[in-house]
Amino acid sequence: MGKKILITDPERCTGCRLCEIVCSVKHDGVSNPALARIHVVKWDNEGFYLPMRCQQCREAPCLAVCPKGAIRRDEALDCVRIDYERCIGCKLCVQACPFGAMGWDAERGRVFKCDLCEGDPQCVRFCDMKAVDYVEADRLSCVRMRQAGEQYSALMRRYGRG
């Protein structure tokens, strides 16, 4: 099996935020969206919802700024992980993340981010709309091409050409 990546599709997201609840329960045992590793950014007036999560950056800024080497790439899952034995809670990684994907748990005094649930992302399991999915990296281009084809087809039908 090849590498997999977590993808989101804002056109499918309904803004229900179930992904946030499932994530916080999985990782912290409580229903608290503030502790979730995924967050749905909402523009209610436009009806647009964007699930945001760690992008598992190849050149991860959070990894680069960590003074203790507590953030490293897990090659098996192809994700960026936190080693809590080394983390000193300086929050430089929180500041460095351009996507706002690093969180801070004030109660525990530690940072947190998506760890892909050890290869079985719970947000994916519970998203009925498939706004969040975990797909083979080499399949992503096929998925994107299919989506583009569906959009093109819908436009053609809309304008009576299909």
Side-chain angles (χ1 to χ4, degrees), residues 123-159:
C123 54
V124 172
R125 285 186 64 205
F126 287 88
C127 183
D128 289 335
M129 301 306 294
K130 287 295 180 205
V132 185
D133 206 356
Y134 195 47
V135 301
E136 297 284 337
D138 57 357
R139 259 196 56 224
L140 182 60
S141 61
C142 292
V143 170
R144 294 293 185 218
M145 283 189 274
R146 184 171 29 257
Q147 289 172 342
E150 289 169 357
Q151 290 172 344
Y152 177 77
S153 180
L155 281 172
M156 292 295 103
R157 283 192 305 275
R158 181 176 179 187
Y159 294 107

Side-chain angles (χ1 to χ4, degrees), residues 11-26:
E11 290 185 19
R12 292 177 177 245
C13 184
T14 63
C16 73
R17 301 178 67 192
L18 181 59
C19 55
E20 295 175 345
I21 301 299
V22 167
C23 181
S24 66
V25 169
K26 159 77 170 123

Side-chain angles (χ1 to χ4, degrees), residues 17-39 105 108 112 117 122-123:
R17 301 178 67 192
L18 181 59
C19 55
E20 295 175 345
I21 301 299
V22 167
C23 181
S24 66
V25 169
K26 159 77 170 123
H27 288 91
D28 298 294
V30 295
S31 176
N32 182 350
L35 295 175
R37 279 81 173 146
I38 186 168
H39 294 284
D105 182 345
R108 291 184 183 165
F112 61 90
C117 295
Q122 297 303 293
C123 54

Side-chain angles (χ1 to χ4, degrees), residues 10-119:
E11 290 185 19
R12 292 177 177 245
C13 184
T14 63
C16 73
R17 301 178 67 192
L18 181 59
C19 55
E20 295 175 345
I21 301 299
V22 167
C23 181
S24 66
V25 169
K26 159 77 170 123
H27 288 91
D28 298 294
V30 295
S31 176
N32 182 350
L35 295 175
R37 279 81 173 146
I38 186 168
H39 294 284
V40 178
V41 180
K42 299 175 97 173
W43 286 271
D44 286 322
N45 290 342
E46 291 82 15
F48 184 75
Y49 310 106
L50 178 62
M52 293 291 295
R53 80 287 177 225
C54 177
Q55 301 293 312
Q56 310 298 346
C57 303
R58 183 65 35 214
E59 302 294 325
C62 60
L63 188 150
V65 301
C66 183
K68 293 295 184 177
I71 301 175
R72 60 184 190 276
R73 180 160 299 281
D74 177 333
E75 293 300 330
L77 281 179
D78 197 27
C79 72
V80 178
R81 300 182 63 106
I82 302 167
D83 178 348
Y84 289 108
E85 298 295 318
R86 299 178 113 184
C87 180
I88 59 173
C90 67
K91 299 180 256 177
L92 287 175
C93 55
V94 175
Q95 296 172 21
C97 179
F99 301 101
M102 294 291 294
W104 173 252
D105 182 345
E107 191 173 304
R108 291 184 183 165
R110 68 182 205 175
V111 296
F112 61 90
K113 64 174 283 313
C114 177
D115 61 5
L116 297 175
C117 295
E118 304 298 325

